[in-house]
Amino acid sequence: AGLFLASCSNQKEAEENMNPLLSTYDTPFDVPPFDRIENRHFLPAIDQAIAEQEAEIAAIVNNTAEPDFKNTIEALDASGMRLREVTNIFGNLQSANTSEELQKLAKEASPKLSAHRDNIQLNEKLFERVKAVYVQKDQLDLTPEQAMLLEKTYKRFARNGADLNPEQKEKLRKINEELSLLSLQFDENLLAETNNFKLVIDNEADLTGLPESVIAAAADAARESGEDGKWVFTVHKPSLIPFLQYSDKRELREKLLKAYINRGDNNNQYDNKKIAARQAALRVERANLLGYETHADYVLEENMAKNPEKVYR
């Protein structure tokens, strides 16, 4: 009986400790089991997924066979599947249903993910294999899809510092890490400003022009925020857009629109001006390090315009 109870206890503990992000979902269409995923599961899953991709990259680098499309480009493209899946789930939850705990986890995860990306992009031996396949691309008889994957893979390494010297690579790592954290802080400030603003209307005459459904939603929002008998509008899009579209009150439309466009520019604890300036400076520094005159030159190279001059024209 004692052994049976201990076995049951161990089984229960194992079930509680099982990370659904690291298990087979066994759900229709492999949809993530959100009912079983808890915030505590994310960092361990990210750590393990990073370790798995590191092993996959090591297998590519240490392959004694001559580099070819299958054992290098295809293998690299197939690596990190679990990491992509875990970070997609985490990123979507953070965007659609964030919380202070998720934001804290993002700050812990971001430097790890930035370092991991750099460990791959700045891996000299890995780039040597990619380059070895790339230089013989015209003799490989690739399909259009394979040719595009090879081109994109090579450019991704070249554009992200694979040819830099060790000192430059270390500088690039620090820039990338700081940019990833600044981006998180910028988004957190933007979210706080979005959540903090409320346009409270207590005069029914100020609702003219608004459809009944919009008025009802504003009344519900007011009750939820302790403003019974009033109407609350916010700068969240489902509230903002109908008000701007239908309200007859120009001064109220102006107030709501200005609240939206001035988020992060109110000289308070959520102000983003210094963060934006630092991001701009770091992006220029990174672009120069990678051989580009400006951040725009770096970004546009992969887009239709190709350079800033064409954009302005």
Side-chain angles (χ1 to χ4, degrees), residues 23-34 36 85 89:
S23 310
T24 303
Y25 292 164
D26 193 25
T27 58
F29 309 107
D30 286 330
V31 173
F34 289 104
R36 292 190 281 122
E85 191 167 82
I89 295 169

Side-chain angles (χ1 to χ4, degrees), residues 37-305:
I37 296 173
E38 300 175 16
N39 289 343
R40 65 186 177 90
H41 293 137
F42 284 112
L43 286 183
I46 288 172
D47 287 340
Q48 183 165 325
I50 286 175
E52 288 177 8
Q53 189 173 23
E54 286 174 344
E56 292 165 342
I57 297 299
I60 298 170
V61 169
N62 297 325
N63 191 335
T64 56
E66 287 296 311
D68 60 29
F69 185 85
K70 185 175 181 61
N71 69 22
T72 300
I73 306 303
E74 194 174 299
L76 177 58
D77 187 56
S79 73
M81 292 297 289
R82 191 195 296 275
L83 184 60
R84 282 198 286 273
E85 191 167 82
V86 172
T87 52
N88 280 343
I89 295 169
F90 182 62
N92 275 289
L93 279 175
Q94 194 186 353
S95 297
N97 192 29
T98 193
S99 64
E100 288 186 9
E101 187 178 0
L102 278 176
Q103 290 172 356
K104 182 180 177 182
L105 290 174
K107 286 183 178 178
E108 290 186 59
S110 184
K112 294 182 180 184
L113 293 168
S114 176
H116 177 61
R117 284 191 296 269
D118 285 340
N119 287 340
I120 295 174
Q121 303 293 348
L122 302 178
N123 187 315
E124 292 180 16
K125 291 182 178 180
L126 181 60
F127 183 50
E128 285 174 8
R129 291 187 68 91
V130 171
K131 191 187 293 185
V133 181
Y134 183 75
V135 295
Q136 53 177 323
K137 60 180 179 177
D138 294 332
Q139 289 80 46
L140 295 180
D141 192 28
L142 300 175
T143 66
E145 293 82 6
Q146 290 173 326
M148 178 61 78
L149 177 59
L150 176 56
E151 184 80 17
K152 291 286 187 182
T153 302
Y154 175 78
K155 281 188 174 180
R156 188 170 74 245
F157 277 86
R159 282 171 47 82
N160 285 282
D163 277 328
L164 297 178
N165 64 44
E167 184 180 341
Q168 291 172 321
K169 286 181 178 178
E170 186 57 32
K171 187 175 182 180
L172 182 62
R173 286 176 181 273
K174 291 179 179 177
I175 290 172
N176 287 340
E177 181 178 345
E178 186 175 354
L179 278 171
S180 71
L181 290 171
L182 286 171
S183 179
L184 281 175
Q185 189 59 57
F186 187 101
D187 289 346
E188 284 185 17
N189 288 346
L190 192 65
L191 179 64
E193 291 270 84
T194 301
N195 289 339
N196 287 345
F197 181 84
K198 291 190 300 184
L199 172 64
V200 181
I201 293 177
D202 55 11
N203 183 354
E204 193 168 2
D206 288 334
L207 301 174
T208 56
L210 296 173
E212 283 301 320
S213 59
V214 174
I215 294 172
D220 289 340
R223 279 192 293 274
E224 289 174 7
S225 59
E227 301 278 359
D228 283 354
K230 300 178 183 179
W231 298 267
V232 167
F233 294 90
T234 71
V235 290
H236 289 282
K237 292 294 180 69
S239 179
L240 170 74
I241 292 175
F243 192 91
L244 295 179
Q245 185 174 359
Y246 296 113
S247 174
D248 291 336
K249 297 295 181 178
R250 188 179 192 281
E251 68 281 6
L252 294 180
R253 296 200 311 271
E254 179 182 11
K255 184 175 182 180
L256 202 61
L257 180 60
K258 283 186 174 179
Y260 177 75
I261 63 178
N262 287 332
R263 292 171 303 160
D265 189 19
N266 293 304
N267 299 315
N268 56 19
Q269 70 268 39
Y270 303 120
D271 198 273
N272 272 331
K273 288 192 285 293
K274 287 184 179 179
I275 292 176
R278 181 60 179 161
Q279 285 176 311
L282 287 171
R283 285 170 175 171
V284 172
E285 191 175 351
R286 180 176 62 185
N288 295 163
L289 191 61
L290 294 171
Y292 298 86
E293 185 178 350
T294 69
H295 178 65
D297 288 289
Y298 172 69
V299 171
L300 290 170
E301 184 183 54
E302 290 288 273
N303 289 275
M304 189 180 292

